[in-house]
Amino acid sequence: MSEEKRKNPLSVYWIYVAFVILLVSTHLYVNSETSTTIKYKETLLELVEAKGVKNVKIVNQSSARFQLRKEGIQYINTHKKLDFPNMRKVINSKKTDVNRLVFELENIGNHANFEKALDDRKYSDYENIIETNWIAQILGYLLPFGIIVLIWMFVMRRMSGGGGAGGGGGQIFNIGKSRAQVYEKGKSTNVTFKDVAGLEGAKEEIVEIVEFLKNPKKYTELGAKIPKGALLVGPPGTGKTLLAKAVAGEAKVPFFSLSGSDFVEMFVGVGASRVRDLFRQAKEKAPSIIFIDEIDAIGRARGKNNGFNTNDERENTLNQLLTEMDGFGTNSGVIILAATNRADVLDSALMRAGRFDRQIYVDMPDLNERKEIFGVHLKPIKLSTEIDVDFLAKQTPGFSGADIANLCNEAALIAARHNKKFVEKQDFLDAVDRIIGGLEKKNKIITPEEKKTIAFHEAGHAAVSWLLQYANPLVKVTIVPRGQSLGAAWYLPEERSITTTEQLLDDMCATLGGRAAEQLIFNKISTGALSDLERVTKQAYAMISIYGLNDRVGNISYYDSQGRDAFTKPYSEDRAKVIDEEVSKLIESQYQRALQLLSENKEKLEQLAERLLSSEVIFKEDLEAIFGKRQWDPIIEETPEELKVPNSEALAETVTESETNSEVTDDAATPPVDTKPEENAS
């Protein structure tokens, strides 16, 4: 079908170019008898006086055309003034026929004075002629008009998207055509399922969709109906778009890819028109797949906050999309894939069965999945023999697939910066520090008093986290300014499925350890604990108002997963007062707990701070030397079982559990752990 509809390679613009070349060539041919021109009127008059010219023609009373006699040629060869040198070059050229050579004086000045000068020199062999250059006049009229037409056509084609996929390339008014990028047979994204590591559950369902398109009889014989649509939901960077690219590379059927914003236009009705054109093309080329990235751009729930959102055009586009998705037959061979990281704002009509039958959640990768992702991104990198993938996976909790790809690239850049032939383990550790903490600022000016305060602040964090059972184990502490922070501490959080109250309290106490150390040693506090206070405040409010972990408030959660109470509080003023009181009480109790721990270990705290001041960087071994070996080591249970996904040799599914790797916020679904450095913003 594509071969039959292939466009003629002879574009209309080539016809315009050929026409212009023809006009210019004709003009040059007509005027080819004029071989050269002269600038000075005195040149012609001097040659007339020397009796060296013939056939003088005054053209349109503005210019003169003449030929040379033998006397004129001889006179030019013996004199070197005025235009004679240039005329001599033309006369003596081998290609020049002297008998047919015609010179032209571009400007004769005043016509009457010029004729009088000829008469004074007793020359009467001249005549006045009138010439009309029709081609020049035609070009003078048509050329501006043609330029305007070409500019207008260029602008209209740009407004219509350049005539991309959708069949509207030859039309001027094709603004309502679909802008989807089409991948057909012989054209793919060069991404397959082998390039997608992790995401085993998602790949299993996607592979089933691809298999249906390749072999639909296998399913329809049993009465099965393939889902009309699948929605990929997950945080940014987890591989939703990559998974769709793999589908385009594996399906071997027409694949229409576009973004939700491609439907948005300033003109009324354009979005709905593009939706209709997209589905029309997909039905013509069925079996096919339509992929809409960032579908929340047009799929937002209707009727919410109407006073703040009056975009009726977006709703019209959504209505047309809903109609098209439910308008074709069950087994028509058109399947819709969509991706978003904001599934909570999508319209309920879009999410119902019959439109998006499946919602595939693409979570952050766990330990085993990170190993697989590292295996993909480390292939093109020249690695040292000491590189351990298991170690790298354990050092990157909370990293998405995009973060891991960035980490591998950053490590390679660091190795190249140091003129290394292979990427070593230390390069990866430096890359982790660079991504999490930011760029080192070794030249930042810090007074000795400030440096001492920062050292005790970071030592307080490290000491409290080391002494608490459920606090995250320390990896590294530094007082070298990095990014926006004056000091930083790296922890290795445990990958938990659930988090208890004791774990949250220990984490909160460790976070307040920095300010507690300042209070204990200097008997004063600073603004360096800004990020600490922000974190524990959000954490405390989440514990009380979301997770129901407070006895006074009770087992009540005010968390709204649908976001319907964005501008109103779901509780009374009295209850808000109670929540505020309990938050203050909870934070203060953990602060006093941190003070008590540091008071009991004040000497060890001072030793740790002094070591940090002297070396600027301390590691886990330094804490073990001062405090002794930590009693509580995290136990990571790995699931060795691997489940093979049908029809793909490279797909392996590992039974894993979700991890908690982000700070608690008002919309968090899991308790927090933190891998970010503590900031000292003074």
Coordinates of all heavy atoms in Angstrom, one line a residue, residues 369-415:
E369 N 16.6 -5.7 39.5 CA 16.4 -5.0 38.3 C 17.5 -4.0 37.9 O 17.8 -3.8 36.8 CB 15.0 -4.3 38.3 CG 13.9 -5.3 38.3 CD 12.5 -4.6 38.4 OE1 12.5 -3.5 39.0 OE2 11.5 -5.2 38.0
R370 N 18.0 -3.4 39.0 CA 19.1 -2.5 38.7 C 20.4 -3.2 38.2 O 21.1 -2.7 37.4 CB 19.5 -1.7 40.0 CG 18.5 -0.7 40.4 CD 19.0 0.3 41.4 NE 19.5 -0.3 42.7 CZ 18.8 -0.6 43.7 NH1 17.5 -0.2 43.7 NH2 19.3 -1.1 44.8
K371 N 20.6 -4.4 38.7 CA 21.7 -5.3 38.1 C 21.5 -5.4 36.6 O 22.4 -5.3 35.8 CB 21.7 -6.6 38.8 CG 22.1 -6.6 40.3 CD 22.1 -8.0 40.8 CE 22.4 -8.0 42.3 NZ 22.4 -9.3 42.9
E372 N 20.3 -5.8 36.2 CA 20.0 -6.0 34.8 C 20.2 -4.7 34.0 O 20.7 -4.7 32.9 CB 18.6 -6.5 34.6 CG 18.3 -7.9 35.2 CD 16.9 -8.4 34.9 OE1 16.3 -7.8 34.0 OE2 16.5 -9.3 35.6
I373 N 19.7 -3.6 34.5 CA 19.9 -2.3 33.9 C 21.3 -1.9 33.7 O 21.8 -1.4 32.7 CB 19.1 -1.2 34.6 CG1 17.6 -1.5 34.6 CG2 19.3 0.2 34.0 CD1 16.8 -0.6 35.5
F374 N 22.1 -2.1 34.8 CA 23.6 -1.9 34.7 C 24.2 -2.8 33.6 O 25.1 -2.3 32.9 CB 24.2 -2.2 36.0 CG 24.4 -0.9 36.9 CD1 23.6 -0.8 38.0 CD2 25.2 0.1 36.6 CE1 23.7 0.3 38.8 CE2 25.4 1.2 37.4 CZ 24.6 1.3 38.5
G375 N 23.7 -4.0 33.5 CA 24.2 -4.9 32.4 C 24.0 -4.4 31.0 O 24.9 -4.6 30.2
V376 N 22.9 -3.6 30.8 CA 22.6 -3.1 29.5 C 23.5 -1.8 29.2 O 24.1 -1.7 28.2 CB 21.1 -2.7 29.4 CG1 20.9 -1.9 28.1 CG2 20.3 -3.9 29.4
H377 N 23.6 -0.9 30.2 CA 24.3 0.3 30.0 C 25.8 0.2 30.1 O 26.6 1.1 29.7 CB 23.8 1.4 31.0 CG 22.4 1.8 30.7 ND1 21.9 2.4 29.6 CD2 21.3 1.6 31.5 CE1 20.6 2.6 29.7 NE2 20.2 2.1 30.8
L378 N 26.3 -0.9 30.7 CA 27.8 -1.1 30.8 C 28.4 -1.7 29.6 O 29.6 -1.8 29.5 CB 28.1 -1.9 32.0 CG 27.9 -1.2 33.4 CD1 28.2 -2.2 34.5 CD2 28.7 0.1 33.5
K379 N 27.6 -2.3 28.7 CA 28.1 -3.0 27.5 C 29.0 -2.1 26.6 O 30.1 -2.5 26.2 CB 26.9 -3.5 26.7 CG 26.2 -4.7 27.3 CD 25.1 -5.2 26.4 CE 24.4 -6.4 27.0 NZ 23.3 -6.9 26.2
P380 N 28.6 -0.9 26.3 CA 29.5 -0.1 25.4 C 30.7 0.6 26.1 O 31.5 1.3 25.5 CB 28.6 1.0 24.9 CG 27.5 1.2 25.9 CD 27.4 -0.1 26.6
I381 N 30.8 0.4 27.4 CA 31.9 1.1 28.2 C 33.0 0.1 28.4 O 32.8 -1.1 28.8 CB 31.3 1.6 29.6 CG1 30.2 2.6 29.3 CG2 32.4 2.2 30.4 CD1 29.5 3.1 30.6
K382 N 34.3 0.6 28.3 CA 35.5 -0.2 28.6 C 35.7 -0.2 30.1 O 36.1 0.8 30.7 CB 36.7 0.4 27.9 CG 36.6 0.3 26.4 CD 37.9 0.9 25.7 CE 37.8 0.7 24.2 NZ 39.1 1.3 23.6
L383 N 35.4 -1.3 30.7 CA 35.5 -1.4 32.2 C 36.7 -2.1 32.7 O 37.4 -2.9 32.0 CB 34.3 -2.3 32.6 CG 32.9 -1.7 32.3 CD1 31.8 -2.7 32.7 CD2 32.6 -0.4 33.0
S384 N 37.1 -1.7 33.9 CA 38.2 -2.4 34.6 C 37.7 -3.7 35.1 O 36.5 -4.0 35.3 CB 38.7 -1.5 35.7 OG 39.6 -2.1 36.5
T385 N 38.7 -4.6 35.3 CA 38.3 -5.9 35.8 C 37.8 -5.9 37.2 O 37.2 -6.9 37.6 CB 39.6 -6.9 35.7 OG1 40.6 -6.3 36.5 CG2 40.0 -7.1 34.3
E386 N 37.9 -4.9 38.0 CA 37.5 -4.8 39.3 C 36.0 -4.4 39.5 O 35.5 -4.4 40.6 CB 38.4 -3.8 40.1 CG 38.3 -2.4 39.6 CD 39.1 -1.4 40.5 OE1 39.7 -1.9 41.5 OE2 39.1 -0.2 40.1
I387 N 35.4 -4.1 38.4 CA 34.0 -3.6 38.5 C 33.1 -4.8 38.9 O 33.1 -5.8 38.3 CB 33.6 -3.0 37.1 CG1 34.4 -1.8 36.8 CG2 32.1 -2.7 37.1 CD1 34.2 -0.7 37.7
D388 N 32.3 -4.5 39.9 CA 31.3 -5.5 40.4 C 29.9 -4.9 40.2 O 29.6 -3.9 40.8 CB 31.6 -5.8 41.9 CG 30.7 -6.9 42.4 OD1 29.9 -7.5 41.6 OD2 30.7 -7.1 43.6
V389 N 29.1 -5.5 39.4 CA 27.8 -5.0 39.1 C 26.9 -5.1 40.4 O 26.1 -4.2 40.6 CB 27.1 -5.8 37.9 CG1 25.7 -5.3 37.7 CG2 28.0 -5.7 36.7
D390 N 27.1 -6.1 41.2 CA 26.3 -6.2 42.4 C 26.6 -5.0 43.3 O 25.7 -4.5 43.9 CB 26.6 -7.5 43.1 CG 26.1 -8.7 42.3 OD1 25.3 -8.6 41.4 OD2 26.6 -9.9 42.6
F391 N 27.8 -4.7 43.4 CA 28.2 -3.5 44.3 C 27.6 -2.2 43.7 O 27.1 -1.4 44.5 CB 29.7 -3.4 44.3 CG 30.2 -2.2 45.0 CD1 30.2 -2.1 46.4 CD2 30.6 -1.1 44.3 CE1 30.7 -1.0 47.0 CE2 31.1 0.1 44.9 CZ 31.1 0.1 46.3
L392 N 27.6 -2.0 42.4 CA 27.0 -0.8 41.8 C 25.5 -0.8 42.1 O 25.0 0.3 42.4 CB 27.3 -0.7 40.4 CG 28.8 -0.6 40.0 CD1 28.9 -0.6 38.4 CD2 29.4 0.7 40.5
A393 N 24.9 -1.9 42.0 CA 23.4 -1.9 42.2 C 23.1 -1.6 43.6 O 22.1 -0.9 43.9 CB 22.9 -3.3 41.8
K394 N 23.9 -2.1 44.6 CA 23.6 -1.8 46.0 C 23.9 -0.3 46.3 O 23.4 0.2 47.3 CB 24.5 -2.7 46.9 CG 24.1 -4.2 46.8 CD 25.0 -5.1 47.6 CE 24.5 -6.5 47.5 NZ 25.4 -7.4 48.3
Q395 N 24.8 0.3 45.6 CA 25.1 1.7 45.9 C 24.2 2.7 45.2 O 24.3 3.9 45.5 CB 26.6 2.0 45.3 CG 27.7 1.2 46.0 CD 27.8 1.6 47.5 OE1 27.8 2.8 47.8 NE2 27.9 0.6 48.3
T396 N 23.2 2.2 44.5 CA 22.3 3.2 43.8 C 20.8 2.9 44.1 O 20.0 2.7 43.3 CB 22.5 3.0 42.3 OG1 22.4 1.6 41.9 CG2 23.8 3.6 41.9
P397 N 20.4 2.9 45.4 CA 19.0 2.7 45.7 C 18.2 4.0 45.4 O 18.7 5.1 45.5 CB 19.0 2.5 47.3 CG 20.2 3.2 47.7 CD 21.3 3.0 46.6
G398 N 17.1 3.8 44.8 CA 16.3 4.9 44.4 C 16.6 5.5 43.0 O 15.9 6.4 42.6
F399 N 17.5 4.9 42.3 CA 17.9 5.3 41.0 C 16.9 4.7 40.0 O 16.6 3.5 40.0 CB 19.3 4.9 40.6 CG 20.4 5.9 41.1 CD1 20.3 6.3 42.4 CD2 21.4 6.4 40.3 CE1 21.3 7.2 42.9 CE2 22.3 7.2 40.8 CZ 22.3 7.7 42.1
S400 N 16.5 5.5 39.1 CA 15.6 5.0 38.0 C 16.6 4.5 36.8 O 17.8 4.7 36.9 CB 14.7 6.1 37.4 OG 15.4 7.2 36.9
G401 N 15.9 4.0 35.8 CA 16.7 3.5 34.6 C 17.5 4.7 34.0 O 18.6 4.5 33.6
A402 N 16.8 5.8 33.9 CA 17.5 7.0 33.3 C 18.6 7.5 34.2 O 19.7 7.9 33.7 CB 16.4 8.1 33.1
D403 N 18.5 7.4 35.5 CA 19.5 7.8 36.4 C 20.7 6.8 36.2 O 21.9 7.3 36.3 CB 19.0 7.8 37.8 CG 18.0 8.8 38.1 OD1 18.0 9.8 37.4 OD2 17.1 8.6 39.0
I404 N 20.5 5.6 36.1 CA 21.6 4.6 35.9 C 22.3 4.8 34.6 O 23.6 4.8 34.6 CB 21.1 3.2 36.0 CG1 20.5 2.9 37.4 CG2 22.1 2.1 35.6 CD1 19.9 1.5 37.6
A405 N 21.6 5.1 33.5 CA 22.2 5.4 32.3 C 23.1 6.7 32.4 O 24.2 6.7 31.9 CB 21.2 5.6 31.2
N406 N 22.6 7.7 33.1 CA 23.3 8.9 33.3 C 24.6 8.6 34.2 O 25.6 9.2 34.0 CB 22.5 10.0 34.0 CG 23.2 11.3 34.2 OD1 24.0 11.7 33.3 ND2 22.9 12.0 35.3
L407 N 24.4 7.7 35.2 CA 25.6 7.4 36.0 C 26.7 6.7 35.2 O 27.9 7.1 35.4 CB 25.1 6.5 37.1 CG 26.2 5.8 38.0 CD1 26.9 6.9 38.8 CD2 25.6 4.8 39.0
C408 N 26.3 5.8 34.4 CA 27.4 5.1 33.6 C 28.1 6.1 32.6 O 29.3 6.1 32.5 CB 26.7 4.0 32.8 SG 26.0 2.6 33.8
N409 N 27.3 7.0 32.0 CA 27.9 8.0 31.2 C 28.8 8.9 31.9 O 29.9 9.3 31.5 CB 26.8 8.8 30.4 CG 27.4 9.8 29.4 OD1 28.0 9.4 28.4 ND2 27.2 11.0 29.7
E410 N 28.4 9.4 33.1 CA 29.1 10.3 33.9 C 30.5 9.6 34.4 O 31.5 10.3 34.4 CB 28.3 10.7 35.2 CG 28.9 11.9 35.9 CD 28.8 13.2 35.2 OE1 27.9 13.4 34.4 OE2 29.7 14.0 35.4
A411 N 30.4 8.3 34.7 CA 31.6 7.6 35.1 C 32.6 7.6 34.0 O 33.8 7.7 34.2 CB 31.3 6.2 35.6
A412 N 32.1 7.3 32.8 CA 33.0 7.3 31.6 C 33.6 8.7 31.3 O 34.8 8.8 31.0 CB 32.2 6.8 30.4
L413 N 32.8 9.7 31.5 CA 33.4 11.1 31.4 C 34.5 11.4 32.4 O 35.5 12.0 32.1 CB 32.2 12.1 31.5 CG 31.2 12.1 30.4 CD1 30.1 13.1 30.6 CD2 31.8 12.4 29.0
I414 N 34.3 11.0 33.6 CA 35.2 11.2 34.7 C 36.5 10.4 34.4 O 37.6 11.0 34.5 CB 34.7 10.8 36.0 CG1 33.5 11.7 36.4 CG2 35.8 10.8 37.1 CD1 32.8 11.3 37.7
A415 N 36.4 9.2 33.9 CA 37.6 8.4 33.5 C 38.3 9.0 32.4 O 39.6 9.1 32.4 CB 37.2 7.0 33.2

